C-alpha cells in the first residue's frame, strides 16, 4: 500500500465527529481514477443516525466522480486493528471486487491486509450487480 493512502486514512482521524463513542475512525480509498478519497465517522446525538468512516469515504469517492474502490485503508485511534463492521463490508463490496485489498492500519502503518472475499465471504449477489 502506498504511503499517501495510509497518510490520508490517518489524516482523516482528525475530522472524526465521535463525541459519544470517543472512538475516531479514518478510512481512505484509492479509486480507479487514481485519486484518494478519505472519510471519518460522523456520530449523532440520536445514536442510530451516526455513520462509519467507510461510508463517508465512499460518499467522497462517488461525489468525486469515481465508481470503483481499488484499495482501502482503515485506521482507528484506539484499536490496533479496526476491521470494517458488517454493514461497511457490504457497502465497500458494492464498489469493490473479491480481490480488493483492505488494509488495517495502526498509527505506524499497515498491520494486516485482507481481501474483500476474506472479509465478506459468500457475499450477496444477484444478476442486478454490475
Ligand atoms: N466505526 C467506523 O467508523 N467504522 C467501522 O468499521 C467500525 C466502527 C465507528 C462507528 C462509531 O462512530 C464508532 O466507530 C464506535 O463504534
Amino acid at each position: 500500500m502506498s504511503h499517501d493512502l495510509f497518510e490520508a486514512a490517518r489524516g482523516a482521524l482528525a475530522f472524526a465527529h465521535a463525541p459519544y463513542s470517543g472512538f475516531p475512525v479514518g478510512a481512505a480509498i484509492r479509486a480507479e481514477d487514481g485519486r484518494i478519497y478519505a472519510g471519518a465517522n460522523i456520530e449523532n446525538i440520536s445514536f442510530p443516525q451516526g455513520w462509519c468512516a467507510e461510508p463517508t469515504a465512499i460518499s467522497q469517492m462517488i461525489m468525486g466522480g469515481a465508481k470503483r474502490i481499488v484499495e482501502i485503508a482503515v485506521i482507528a485511534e484506539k484499536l490496533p486493528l479496526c476491521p470494517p463492521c458488517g454493514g461497511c463490508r457490504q457497502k465497500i463490496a458494492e464498489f469493490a471486487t473479491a480481490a480488493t485489498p483492505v488494509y488495517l492500519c495502526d498509527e505506524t502503518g499497515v498491520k494486516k491486509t485482507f481481501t474483500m472475499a476474506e472479509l465478506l465471504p459468500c457475499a450477496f449477489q444477484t444478476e442486478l450487480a454490475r
Side-chain angles (χ1 to χ4, degrees):
M1 184 196 62
S2 64
H3 195 66
D4 53 348
L5 189 66
F6 168 67
E7 286 297 347
R10 188 167 61 174
L13 285 172
F15 294 91
H17 175 70
Y20 309 107
S21 71
F23 192 86
V25 182
I29 291 167
R30 183 184 305 283
E32 87 278 10
D33 61 359
R35 292 183 57 198
I36 290 175
Y37 299 95
N41 50 336
I42 303 176
E43 298 181 348
N44 192 279
I45 184 65
S46 175
F47 295 169
Q49 302 303 329
W51 65 88
C52 291
E54 295 89 334
T56 305
I58 290 170
S59 302
Q60 296 281 87
M61 178 188 79
I62 293 298
M63 293 313 293
K67 279 268 182 286
R68 304 300 303 170
I69 297 172
V70 174
E71 48 184 359
I72 177 168
V74 182
I75 183 169
E77 214 168 79
K78 296 182 178 166
L79 204 62
L81 283 185
C82 182
C85 77
C88 285
R89 294 177 195 203
Q90 187 69 45
K91 290 185 174 85
I92 295 165
E94 181 73 17
F95 304 104
T97 70
T100 302
V102 180
Y103 307 114
L104 308 186
C105 307
D106 70 7
E107 72 284 351
T108 67
V110 181
K111 287 294 136 193
K112 211 163 166 60
T113 303
F114 290 100
T115 64
M116 276 309 292
E118 288 171 323
L119 289 184
L120 192 65
C122 196
F124 174 63
Q125 273 289 355
T126 76
E127 70 287 351
L128 297 175
R130 289 155 195 259

